[in-house]
Amino acid sequence: MDSQIGAELAICRRLVGARLRGQMQYRGSFIAQIAGNFGVNFVELIAILILFSHFGAIGGWDVGEVAFLYGLSCTSFGIAHLLGSGFSSFSTLIHQGTFDRVLVRPVGTLLQVLAAEMQIRRLGEALQGVLVLGAAIGFVGIEWTVGRLVYLPIVLASAVLLYVALFAIEATVCFWTTQATEVLNAFTYGGSDMAQYPLHIYDGWLRGLLLFVVPIGFVIYLPSLYLLDKPDPLGLPGFVPFLAPVAALAFAMAAAALWRLGVRHYRSTGS
Amino acid sequence: MITARGLSKSYWVARHRRGALGAMRSLVDRSGREVRAVRDISFDVAAGEIVGYVGPNGAGKSTTIKMLTGILVPTAGEATVAGYVPWNQRKSLASKIGVVFGQRTQLWWDLPLIESLELLRFVYRVPVDRFQANLTEMRSLLDLDPFLETPVRQLSLGQRMRGDLAAAVLHEPPLLYLDEPTIGLDVVAKARVREFLARINRERGVTILLTTHDLADVEHLCRRMIIIDRGRLLYDGSVEALRQRHGSHRTLVVDLEAGATIDGFVRDGVELVRADGPRRWLRFDREAVSAASLISSVVARAPVVDVAIEEPAIEDIIRGIYEGGLRAEPAVSE
Amino acid sequence: MRLYFEVARRSFQRHLTYRVATLAGLFTNAVFGIFFSSVYRAFYQDGERGVVADFTLPEILTFVWIGQSLLMLVYLWNWWEVADSIRTGDVVSDLMKPMDFQLYWLSRDLGRASCHWLTRFVPTFAMGALLFDLAWPGTISTWLAFFISVNLAILVSFGWRFLLNLSAFWLLDVRGINTIAVLVLNFFSGLLVPIAFFPGWLRTVAEWLPFRAIVMVPVEVFLGQRTPQSALLIQAFWVVALRLLGQVVLNAAVRKLVVQGG
């Protein structure tokens, strides 16, 4: 079984490498897209800075602390968007009937779809997130302990996993309908945007949604309370900031189960 | 190689509702109607056979192929393909079959053909030496060299199909499914595809099941054909027997010189079925009249600019069987 | 004139049929409207200030919801229909028809926009009004001025998008320029943050660009921050300027097409 997974990952690596070579063909547009993706986020950041120049703080968090949330969310979203490119273009795969081709190959469907596309231009998003995250860490002066040092990469990985799972769910819905993608965009883009601000500024129902339906709060906001040493205005138990990997794994497993259900549906209807 | 027993596939088509509220209701209320795409089809394909699976659009050809590849799970019935139950052992079966969908490529759109083929080596885990040997053979058989380094999106339809054929057989599958492999190709490209299929069948013993609505594919390649229409199996037997019974008529199309006429031309087994300007359509029985003698007798009567012979369309034959209810031998199971 | 009316009517009817997409889009508008509203509400609470850069909280929430309502109406993002027709070559037969090419596409866009007035603007704005405390104009004439200003915003937006699309005559792949156009529009139209919030020099830049005529100017008219006369002047200027510029670029493109055969 292990060698099976190893072999599949090797295939995956080959496929991804091939995709990269394919994209280099339109070099000018490619560079413009990386720069543009960087710029779209950059402009959002400028907007946030403009707001802070007038108001000073939001929900008791200052500009450095919000920049930390922003950097965390943008970095993980950018990486997830890059890794999950195959999911975000999945509706075309279904539309063109190319999913049949995936099913007649001796490799797992999830892996093939993931490897089918890798939009390097999305590196621009992640890059900008990393820069902001770095600047924010310098600005807020985190008190580094071993715990925080170890936990930060775990938080990032959890957030990436959660966003990839979110893209996977977006793709899975295409097995039933390809018309609802915009609704799901509201969850992916909307979710990552909302994660850029402290969770306690939102109304109760929205907070609940961001914690227990799409647990973005568990992988960005709550860990940041620990990393930035901020008090928890929501009054949750002391261990919740450490649940990021648990929440992400649980959500990813739910997404994988949903995917299998979707493939089964596809294979019984063929549409 | 293939055993199918009572294969059936029904779809549930949700009722279409008008309006935004209707769209919302459709999400909850799944009432609709059942479409029976394939109904109780049984057949066997022995190793080494080439079988043509024909029928008009929407007859259920692709649905059958999709069930036999494991893409679709049937509503009822059983099948084994190369020793596997396709829909339960899809990934194991995948290494034993090659699949070509005529209208969709399985090559990577923006990569040179050679890279797609190399990627498939990893997907199917073909040992390097076998891969090299196969690739060399395909390059000469399909004449791939002129466009081996060209990105697939820049290939012509015929070139792309040659690439797809190579891709489908590189892992040496004993069974090849082809869904409309000649659709949209020109005459030369079609001939090339047929020649290739005949050759790998002859030399490698590859079993081939192909769907098509071009009777010429079947005539060139298959000794046996299976006809389905509206999901039902109508005929399973030799091509020769079918042609004798239902497709014995061909049509001679002649363009006369301006002002010339062949009105009143009478010959046994020949019938003037249509006239349009200088063009005449003469339907003739190929058993009774040879094309050569018919042409010479027409030319003897009036100056002719051009001639062409039309084979009966597969749709016509199938319609004939369907409407006439003429059951050809060997008998059809239904 | 009859042709352009018929083109617009068909476009209107076609867009009316995209029902599921409309529902999905309204959902997205609502999500982002609520998100931005929550953020501004929290900022105003922290700042403990009633008025920031001339905006009270109800006024800034009104800005948020007008912005979300306008998004589809002015079709801010990803409109590449002309570019697509250039890429496929369909453009040649359109150019040969005895009609004004730009006016033809404008008619299509106006048909689309009239549909989006009903299916996107009104419902989104209504959601905002139900969920949050907005600032309403005191007089009918302000409403009227707002209505006119939004329609002019559609024309300005069309002029800009048409120009962008024409770039496909020279560029093989418009995705790069699309990304850059989106970021410039998001920022300088005032969609992300009101232009009044910008620091001085950035505000000057924004005021020289056409993009504020697409989002910010109608908002200012609605909130009574700008007189209808000055709005009309700004927007009309850009409508005319972009239309003329579009014609010049189109002529250059056609010349290129004729000389180089595409």
Side-chain angles (χ1 to χ4, degrees):
Chain A
M1 199 58 209
D2 269 356
S3 75
Q4 171 82 12
I5 290 171
E8 296 210 341
L9 284 179
I11 293 162
C12 196
R13 215 179 52 229
R14 296 275 167 184
L15 292 178
V16 169
R19 299 293 321 160
L20 301 194
R21 286 195 297 280
Q23 284 171 46
M24 295 304 171
Q25 290 170 17
Y26 306 96
R27 192 154 300 157
S29 176
F30 181 71
I31 291 168
Q33 283 176 68
I34 290 201
N37 272 300
F38 185 96
V40 168
N41 283 356
F42 184 72
V43 154
E44 275 177 20
L45 182 70
I46 298 284
I48 293 175
L49 293 179
I50 288 177
L51 288 174
F52 271 97
S53 77
H54 288 279
F55 297 96
I58 184 166
W61 289 44
D62 66 25
V63 63
E65 291 159 342
V66 169
F68 182 80
L69 288 179
Y70 175 92
L72 214 52
S73 183
C74 272
T75 306
S76 47
F77 188 80
I79 296 173
H81 208 181
L82 174 73
L83 294 177
S85 306
F87 289 138
S88 28
S89 59
F90 188 66
S91 65
T92 20
L93 208 70
I94 289 286
H95 253 308
Q96 297 168 346
T98 355
F99 191 65
D100 286 350
R101 176 181 85 188
V102 168
L103 285 171
V104 297
R105 285 183 185 152
V107 182
T109 51
L110 261 177
L111 262 175
Q112 283 192 67
V113 172
L114 263 179
E117 188 96 49
M118 190 68 50
Q119 299 274 355
I120 304 298
R121 61 192 159 91
R122 290 176 177 152
L123 214 55
E125 294 172 31
L127 190 69
Q128 199 255 356
V130 170
L131 290 179
V132 174
L133 186 61
I137 287 172
F139 192 78
V140 296
I142 293 181
E143 269 182 58
W144 287 110
T145 60
V146 176
R148 291 202 173 110
L149 219 50
V150 173
Y151 198 45
L152 178 61
I154 296 179
V155 168
L156 269 175
S158 306
V160 170
L161 180 62
L162 181 117
Y163 283 134
V164 170
L166 206 49
F167 284 119
I169 291 174
E170 190 173 351
T172 304
V173 173
C174 296
F175 285 122
W176 285 275
T177 171
T178 49
Q179 293 187 293
T181 42
E182 212 189 331
V183 169
L184 295 145
N185 275 339
F187 282 94
T188 49
Y189 290 91
S192 77
D193 276 4
M194 289 187 198
Q196 295 167 2
Y197 292 94
L199 193 70
H200 58 263
I201 68 163
Y202 303 114
D203 287 334
W205 64 271
L206 189 53
R207 260 195 325 252
L209 204 73
L210 290 169
L211 283 173
F212 303 112
V213 181
V214 186
I216 293 176
F218 273 101
V219 297
I220 308 273
Y221 171 73
L222 291 175
S224 299
L225 292 177
Y226 162 70
L227 294 166
L228 299 174
D229 205 13
K230 296 284 287 182
D232 173 15
L234 304 176
L236 296 168
F239 61 87
V240 285
F242 304 102
L243 290 181
V246 180
L249 268 176
F251 191 67
M253 277 159 66
L258 212 60
W259 175 264
R260 279 192 292 275
L261 206 66
V263 173
R264 200 160 78 202
H265 175 79
Y266 180 87
R267 293 181 59 202
S268 71
T269 61
S271 53
Chain B
M1 187 60 70
I2 301 177
T3 317
R5 289 288 171 271
L7 271 189
S8 300
K9 181 73 204 177
S10 305
Y11 298 114
W12 194 253
V13 179
R15 207 170 88 217
H16 182 77
R17 286 192 179 77
R18 294 181 60 89
L21 283 175
M24 303 251 288
R25 268 187 66 198
S26 302
L27 291 175
V28 205
D29 175 11
R30 306 297 297 187
S31 68
R33 66 195 171 85
E34 195 183 37
V35 174
R36 296 165 74 193
V38 171
R39 309 184 196 190
D40 194 25
I41 281 186
S42 303
F43 61 87
D44 295 293
V45 176
E49 268 194 289
I50 304 188
V51 177
Y53 197 68
V54 300
N57 284 333
K61 294 178 304 224
S62 293
T63 305
T64 313
I65 296 268
K66 282 183 185 177
M67 288 191 280
L68 294 177
T69 49
I71 292 174
L72 280 182
V73 183
T75 323
E78 291 161 19
T80 52
V81 175
Y84 297 103
V85 176
W87 44 93
N88 291 336
Q89 296 160 291
R90 179 175 59 79
K91 273 164 76 177
S92 309
L93 177 64
S95 308
K96 303 285 174 210
I97 57 173
V99 186
V100 174
F101 296 111
Q103 278 164 315
R104 295 173 209 139
T105 180
Q106 70 150 328
L107 305 165
W108 280 265
W109 204 238
D110 47 6
L111 292 184
L113 175 60
I114 181 68
E115 287 200 35
S116 278
L117 298 178
E118 277 167 0
L119 277 176
L120 288 168
R121 171 167 91 77
F122 290 98
V123 170
Y124 288 97
R125 288 173 219 160
V126 185
V128 179
D129 51 335
R130 293 302 312 146
F131 174 78
Q132 286 304 342
N134 283 327
L135 182 60
T136 313
E137 190 181 343
M138 289 313 138
R139 277 163 63 179
S140 71
L141 271 184
L142 289 164
D143 193 18
L144 302 179
D145 285 349
F147 50 92
L148 209 50
E149 301 293 338
T150 313
V152 172
R153 68 183 135 78
Q154 292 170 12
L155 298 183
S156 72
L157 205 55
Q159 290 173 329
R160 208 211 72 207
M161 179 47 67
R162 274 143 71 190
D164 259 309
L165 286 171
V169 299
L170 275 176
H171 57 290
E172 304 177 358
L175 171 62
L176 193 56
Y177 294 110
L178 302 123
D179 195 3
E180 302 285 357
T182 56
I183 198 158
L185 299 187
D186 63 48
V187 185
V188 181
K190 275 184 183 177
R192 190 155 207 154
V193 169
R194 289 175 195 142
E195 190 193 328
F196 172 78
L197 294 177
R199 187 137 172 196
I200 58 161
N201 171 259
R202 195 168 62 236
E203 291 176 4
R204 295 186 167 200
V206 175
T207 312
I208 296 174
L209 180 65
L210 87 151
T211 77
T212 181
H213 49 285
D214 187 345
L215 185 62
D217 287 343
V218 177
E219 280 183 315
H220 283 88
L221 285 170
C222 313
R223 226 163 286 138
R224 174 178 162 206
M225 69 192 291
I226 296 173
I227 300 179
I228 66 165
D229 189 22
R230 300 181 213 185
R232 283 212 175 83
L233 198 146
L234 294 185
Y235 176 86
D236 179 356
S238 80
V239 176
E240 203 41 50
L242 184 82
R243 202 189 345 251
Q244 304 265 320
R245 298 225 159 205
H246 308 288
S248 59
H249 288 281
R250 295 201 280 180
T251 307
L252 177 72
V253 185
V254 289
D255 287 350
L256 303 173
E257 234 170 51
T261 176
I262 53 167
D263 296 346
F265 174 82
V266 184
R267 196 174 154 180
D268 262 2
V270 181
E271 188 189 351
L272 180 73
V273 288
R274 209 177 140 204
D276 183 9
R279 185 167 285 190
R280 301 287 181 278
W281 283 261
L282 296 159
R283 204 162 85 113
F284 64 100
D285 186 338
R286 72 155 113 222
E287 302 299 316
V289 183
S290 83
S293 76
L294 177 59
I295 292 169
S296 55
S297 59
V298 171
V299 171
R301 196 173 176 94
V304 166
V305 181
D306 199 4
V307 295
I309 291 175
E310 286 178 354
E311 296 290 336
I314 190 76
E315 274 85 355
D316 294 341
I317 296 186
I318 289 164
R319 201 178 304 120
I321 297 173
Y322 197 81
E323 286 165 0
L326 296 165
R327 294 293 141 94
E329 298 298 326
V332 166
S333 61
E334 241 202 278
Chain C
M1 253 357 256
R2 183 62 195 263
L3 164 74
Y4 302 107
F5 174 75
E6 287 297 321
V7 167
R9 196 170 61 89
R10 268 152 237 265
S11 168
F12 174 86
Q13 283 165 346
R14 188 164 54 87
H15 279 88
L16 217 48
T17 59
Y18 301 150
R19 296 189 183 91
V20 179
T22 301
L23 285 175
L26 288 175
F27 178 79
T28 312
N29 290 143
V31 167
F32 280 92
I34 291 168
F35 164 57
F36 287 125
S37 300
S38 306
V39 169
Y40 277 108
R41 201 180 48 194
F43 267 126
Y44 270 79
Q45 275 165 12
D46 268 62
E48 286 174 358
R49 290 161 63 184
V51 183
V52 177
D54 262 358
F55 281 83
T56 63
L57 179 60
E59 284 172 339
I60 205 87
L61 295 180
T62 309
F63 151 80
V64 165
W65 285 95
I66 292 181
Q68 287 300 315
S69 312
L70 275 180
L71 269 185
M72 270 312 269
L73 191 50
V74 299
Y75 227 125
L76 210 48
W77 303 320
N78 303 330
W79 182 76
W80 291 103
E81 283 179 34
V82 184
D84 287 343
S85 87
I86 294 169
R87 201 169 36 80
T88 58
D90 294 348
V91 70
V92 178
S93 67
D94 281 344
L95 281 170
M96 285 186 332
K97 288 173 190 150
M99 61 180 186
D100 182 317
F101 185 71
Q102 194 178 162
L103 215 50
Y104 163 73
W105 281 102
L106 177 63
S107 316
R108 288 180 62 146
D109 202 53
L110 289 181
R112 173 203 64 74
S114 351
C115 176
H116 283 158
W117 260 113
L118 301 171
T119 60
R120 300 302 290 269
F121 186 92
V122 172
T124 308
F125 208 7
M127 282 191 291
L130 279 175
L131 294 171
F132 294 90
D133 204 3
L134 304 185
W136 300 100
T139 63
I140 299 283
S141 62
T142 311
W143 278 101
L144 193 68
F146 174 67
F147 180 76
I148 294 168
S149 179
V150 170
N151 284 316
L152 286 170
I154 295 165
L155 293 178
V156 175
S157 154
F158 172 79
W160 166 249
R161 285 179 280 128
F162 186 75
L163 262 180
L164 268 189
N165 272 266
L166 292 182
S167 71
F169 275 110
W170 291 271
L171 298 173
L172 279 177
D173 184 6
V174 294
R175 280 178 301 180
I177 210 169
N178 176 48
T179 324
I180 288 165
V182 166
L183 82 91
V184 170
L185 268 167
N186 281 0
F187 192 75
F188 287 107
S189 66
L191 180 72
L192 287 173
V193 179
I195 289 172
F197 280 47
F198 288 12
W201 61 275
L202 209 53
R203 201 180 327 164
T204 313
V205 175
E207 277 164 7
W208 282 96
L209 293 172
F211 310 116
R212 68 174 170 148
I214 299 172
V215 177
M216 206 64 234
V217 171
V219 172
E220 289 166 349
V221 169
F222 190 86
L223 295 175
Q225 295 176 345
R226 180 182 292 284
T227 62
Q229 291 86 337
S230 96
L232 186 75
L233 206 66
I234 297 169
Q235 292 183 304
F237 168 77
W238 283 114
V239 170
V240 174
L242 288 170
R243 156 92 214 201
L244 292 178
L245 198 56
Q247 207 53 49
V248 169
V249 176
L250 182 64
N251 289 344
V254 170
R255 236 184 347 265
K256 171 180 174 285
L257 209 63
V258 174
V259 174
Q260 300 173 7

